[in-house]
Amino acid sequence: MKTQPYGMICPITHACEILEPRWTIPILTELWAGSTRFNDLRRGIGSISPALLSKRLKELEEFGLVERIEDHATGNVDYIRTQMAIDLEPALNELAMWAQRHVKAEVALRNANLSSLIRCMPNIFAAEELPNRRIVLQFHFRDDLDYDTIWAVIQPAKPVEVCTSIPGFDVDLFVETSVKSLTALLLGRTNIAREIRADRLFLSGDALLERTMPRWLRICEYQPEQGAAILCPETSGEHAGPVTH
């Protein structure tokens, strides 16, 4: 007979006591992504306050999930995951898959914002799928924003540059979209063809870049076999079903 995993001493309850406080999992995820410095963690996580981030890091250190390393020669402080935190990766992977499948796209996208997009922009392009030359992409957002246009400059063997002012190069591909639509694409909650059909995405410029966008735009790796829960249709002709890429 299968053991029922619930009761007074349920292990899940003990795990929740450590992981439930707000921002705990985002902090661990940002550490997993490679951030080690306080300011990098704060930028990557988003709207967490410095005081709360400091408190959570101290708690995670006390629980044995994070190690604080101070360089006394320079005064720099780094935070790294312990093996105990690394052992959480399979569980967090499964949690991400569950969320992609069952959390409605509208809920997953409700906090989508341009600042988050700009932070992740250097990592969303698969350089190996782009022509081996300088590529300039212009993203214009239809949202009501203080600034509504950003540029990505992608050059061989160089880090991607994200600019909020005209970079001084000819634009290869113009992308007109919204913050919600582009975020939905990156999360795998919709696809390029669907957004174009719904008039939420417009591409103009280099025909090769336009045609190969599904290859060079990196989509969230967490894609359940059944498909992610997709962004609800906003045009009468669309049928809401699993996304296929």
Side-chain angles (χ1 to χ4, degrees), residues 36-199:
T36 62
R37 299 285 172 85
F38 187 92
N39 288 335
D40 292 336
L41 287 166
R42 189 182 173 210
R43 277 192 296 269
I45 295 164
S47 56
I48 189 171
S49 70
L52 184 53
L53 176 56
S54 180
K55 182 174 184 289
R56 288 286 180 268
L57 285 169
K58 186 175 181 180
E59 291 170 348
L60 290 172
E61 188 179 0
E62 291 170 354
F63 280 127
L65 289 165
V66 168
E67 181 180 356
R68 183 180 185 274
I69 302 173
E70 183 174 357
D71 186 333
H72 295 287
T74 63
N76 291 329
V77 174
D78 289 275
Y79 298 90
I80 61 172
R81 295 176 305 148
T82 63
Q83 186 60 48
M84 180 181 174
I86 292 170
D87 289 345
L88 269 172
E89 287 181 14
L92 293 179
N93 272 322
E94 289 302 315
L95 185 62
M97 286 291 194
W98 178 88
Q100 284 286 86
R101 182 72 185 111
H102 296 289
V103 176
K104 291 182 178 179
E106 286 68 29
V107 174
L109 295 167
R110 65 187 173 191
N111 294 322
N113 60 79
L114 184 57
S115 295
S116 295
L117 275 179
I118 290 175
R119 283 198 302 272
C120 74
M121 190 72 75
N123 302 313
I124 69 173
F125 308 112
E128 66 277 9
E129 298 290 349
L130 287 164
N132 190 32
R133 57 180 172 84
R134 183 180 64 226
I135 302 293
V136 180
L137 308 173
Q138 177 180 299
F139 293 84
H140 176 73
F141 298 96
R142 299 168 179 171
D143 310 75
D144 182 16
L145 302 167
D146 291 336
Y147 52 91
D148 58 12
T149 306
I150 59 176
W151 293 262
V153 181
I154 308 163
Q155 302 186 72
K158 291 186 178 180
V160 174
E161 296 179 58
V162 179
C163 314
T164 55
S165 58
I166 300 173
F169 304 118
D170 291 337
V171 173
D172 296 286
L173 185 68
F174 296 86
V175 181
E176 185 172 342
T177 184
S178 68
V179 170
K180 182 178 180 181
S181 177
L182 183 56
T183 304
L185 277 173
L186 296 175
L187 289 178
R189 298 307 190 103
T190 187
N191 58 44
I192 292 168
R194 185 172 183 267
E195 293 305 287
I196 291 174
R197 287 197 305 270
D199 294 325

Side-chain angles (χ1 to χ4, degrees), residues 4-44:
Q4 180 65 276
Y6 302 107
M8 288 177 59
I9 55 172
C10 173
I12 296 173
T13 301
H14 298 318
C16 287
E17 289 175 358
I18 297 174
L19 301 176
E20 241 181 9
R22 191 182 182 200
W23 301 114
T24 298
I25 290 178
I27 291 170
L28 291 174
T29 303
E30 192 60 30
L31 288 167
W32 187 0
S35 296
T36 62
R37 299 285 172 85
F38 187 92
N39 288 335
D40 292 336
L41 287 166
R42 189 182 173 210
R43 277 192 296 269

